[in-house]
Amino acid sequence: MSRSRSTRERRADLSLSAAVDRPGPPPSAADGVWLTCVACGETFPPFEAVRYRCEACDGLLEVRYASPAGVDDFEGEPGVWRYRAALPVDAGVSLPEGDTPLHRMPRLRDEVGVGRLRVKHEGMNPTGSFKDRGMTVGVRVAQRVGVDRLACASTGNTSAALAAYGARGGMETLVLLPAGKVAAGKVAQASLHGARILEVDGNFDDCLDVVQRLTDRGAAYLLNSLNPFRLEGQKTIGFEILETLLDDHGEPPDRIVLPAGNAGNTAALYKAFRELVAAGSLARADVPRLTPVQAAGAAPLVEAVEADRDAVRRWPEVETRATAIRIGNPVNAPKALPGVRETGGTAVAVSDDAITRAQRDLAGEGVGVEPASAASLAGLRELRERGVVDAGESVVLLTTGHLLKDPDAAARAGTEPEPVPADVDGVLDVL
Ligand code: F0G
């Protein structure tokens, strides 16, 4: 057995706090689903009113189930809606989404030096990022609560997904983007799908501040990852990884390494695994170590993990080539930090140059991703070099967005076009 197996055994007593099995359903729980504040435990009915935060203490809300679903409850075609038993609604506004590839990466596995290496390429979703998994659920809930205008702040991918799913659902969409800091492919998507694009003179965190106030005033329905229903859809990444690997060689991965901005995905994966533990489908000791990666110029979550703090300090200034994760205030940190700690994970910051190198290396094995996604490989490399990740570990990297999202970054990282004459001899001369 690899050393990772023994470290797994050492984790057997981890408590997985905030576990779904803690409080029972409140009397108002419709269909065994309700919202719970992760800070104070207050509960709310899920669909009777629009609310994004706890009315008692302003904490983050989380969807809870009277009986969390396990792998035996998953049925039907691959994709997000195969996991409807674990979701708050049983059908979505769908394009459809999920069922993304889990690529083997033998050359990179050998080069990085781990036991197994897979890449879960979320760039293969309908709009080219993992955000689609959250939107299929979130836009459906918006319809259920009876709103017809949707809004988000975005570094790009959320806006592309919101625009497409809003269009699919026949709803108006409003996206607030940091002016000049969103990759071209993402703006093009939001634009063609018919969103109203509001370019804010500020960074992403400023956009999120503004959109929260707008939606608190009822101007639109908020579909950032603060919306607990979106994270339910994103949970299905964890279910898919687990189902594929259990089918393949019967074991969950030791570790999942993923890029983090608002830390919504980190929180969603933690929730997926907690629910599987509660349902008896996964042993606590087998929950993969969650390992978020940030760009060094935008790393408040890493700072909090390294200092073993329960809260993040907002970074007023952030900068990175990986514009998708150019975020200084990871709003889901209260959900994500316990996940990192209690799965025995860690967090790591990487340089922009390491990100670009990783983007090139993934592309060199056929997998085209945007810069933020490549942070996962850069982070794994860094942790291998530091000896934090064992040589025997089975690792899944999450690549969150497609290469074409940011064509400028891809062109800068890749080979240069060479001018040639329009005749074969001229071309042969150049070759
Ligand atoms: N990777 C990509 C490609 C992203 O677009 C994002 C977030 C992340 C990683 C980070 O995910 O926030 O769950 O930790 N993009 C958001 C957006 C902020 O507006 O598109 P997280």
Side-chain angles (χ1 to χ4, degrees), residues 28 42 44 50 143 146 165-166 194 225 257 260 271 309 380:
S28 59
E42 183 70 37
F44 303 94
V50 171
Q143 291 178 332
Y165 282 81
S225 56
V257 184
K271 189 166 191 288
R309 275 199 266 109
L380 174 63

Side-chain angles (χ1 to χ4, degrees), residues 255 291 346 348 378-389:
R255 186 182 297 273
T291 306
T346 186
V348 63
L380 174 63
R381 237 183 212 140
E382 176 68 30
L383 292 172
R384 267 300 288 144
E385 279 162 18
R386 291 189 201 166
V388 174
V389 171

Side-chain angles (χ1 to χ4, degrees), residues 67-417:
S67 35
V71 289
D72 295 340
D73 302 309
F74 301 154
E75 55 181 16
E77 295 293 302
V80 166
W81 294 99
R82 171 178 170 73
Y83 306 103
R84 54 169 59 78
L87 297 174
V89 285
D90 53 18
V93 173
S94 184
L95 284 169
E97 45 294 308
D99 189 24
T100 55
L102 189 63
H103 298 295
R104 285 192 176 78
M105 306 295 281
R107 294 201 296 273
L108 273 175
R109 177 201 59 208
D110 293 346
E111 186 253 309
V112 176
V114 287
R116 286 199 170 97
L117 185 64
R118 297 284 195 109
V119 169
K120 180 72 171 164
H121 192 14
E122 285 295 298
M124 300 308 285
N125 274 296
T127 78
S129 85
F130 70 94
K131 308 287 182 182
D132 298 344
R133 292 182 188 262
M135 288 302 173
T136 182
V137 176
V139 174
R140 177 73 192 97
V141 171
Q143 291 178 332
R144 179 143 179 196
V145 298
V147 298
D148 52 16
R149 190 202 247 174
L150 313 174
C152 71
S154 183
T155 56
N157 283 320
T158 302
S159 71
L162 182 73
Y165 282 81
R168 189 78 178 162
M171 298 155 97
E172 195 185 336
T173 55
L174 207 59
V175 304
L176 282 78
L177 306 182
K181 293 293 184 181
V182 178
K186 306 172 188 182
V187 182
Q189 287 177 290
S191 163
L192 187 61
H193 288 300
R196 279 188 75 175
I197 302 173
L198 307 178
E199 287 199 324
V200 176
D201 178 18
N203 62 26
F204 167 82
D205 305 298
D206 300 322
C207 294
L208 189 58
D209 287 345
V210 173
V211 81
Q212 281 187 78
R213 293 201 190 102
L214 276 176
T215 53
D216 281 347
R217 290 192 195 179
Y221 184 71
L222 179 70
L223 274 170
N224 279 98
S225 56
L226 272 172
N227 183 315
F229 297 109
R230 250 197 54 192
L231 296 187
E232 292 305 287
Q234 290 172 212
K235 262 181 355 192
T236 62
I237 299 173
F239 298 151
E240 267 178 29
I241 290 173
L242 205 75
E243 277 202 311
T244 312
L245 291 186
L246 290 180
D247 281 354
D248 189 54
H249 57 262
E251 279 190 17
D254 294 315
R255 186 182 297 273
I256 299 178
V257 184
L258 72 162
N262 282 315
N265 247 351
T266 310
L269 286 172
Y270 179 47
K271 189 166 191 288
F273 296 128
R274 262 163 49 212
E275 289 181 3
L276 292 179
V277 168
S281 293
L282 181 67
R284 281 186 182 195
D286 283 346
V287 172
R289 298 165 185 279
L290 293 176
T291 306
V293 185
Q294 297 194 297
L301 190 76
V302 176
E303 182 183 73
V305 170
E306 285 177 349
D308 202 20
R309 275 199 266 109
D310 283 337
V312 290
R313 189 180 59 91
R314 179 173 177 152
W315 287 20
E317 304 292 332
V318 279
E319 200 49 86
T320 168
R321 224 176 273 160
T323 52
I325 52 172
R326 189 173 171 275
I327 293 174
N329 186 29
V331 286
N332 287 298
K335 293 178 173 179
L337 287 171
V340 173
R341 190 171 50 237
E342 290 171 23
T343 61
T346 186
V348 63
V350 292
S351 71
D352 279 4
D353 285 348
I355 288 174
T356 299
R357 176 185 164 206
Q359 189 187 16
R360 228 179 259 131
D361 291 344
L362 287 162
E365 213 159 342
V367 179
V369 309
E370 67 167 287
S373 303
S376 57
L377 173 60
L380 174 63
R381 237 183 212 140
E382 176 68 30
L383 292 172
R384 267 300 288 144
E385 279 162 18
R386 291 189 201 166
V388 174
V389 171
D390 287 347
E393 281 194 35
S394 162
V395 178
V396 171
L397 301 178
L398 198 65
T399 55
T400 40
H402 197 278
L403 175 155
L404 290 173
K405 289 285 192 170
D406 192 343
D408 300 323
R412 276 196 303 273
T415 55
E416 287 291 323

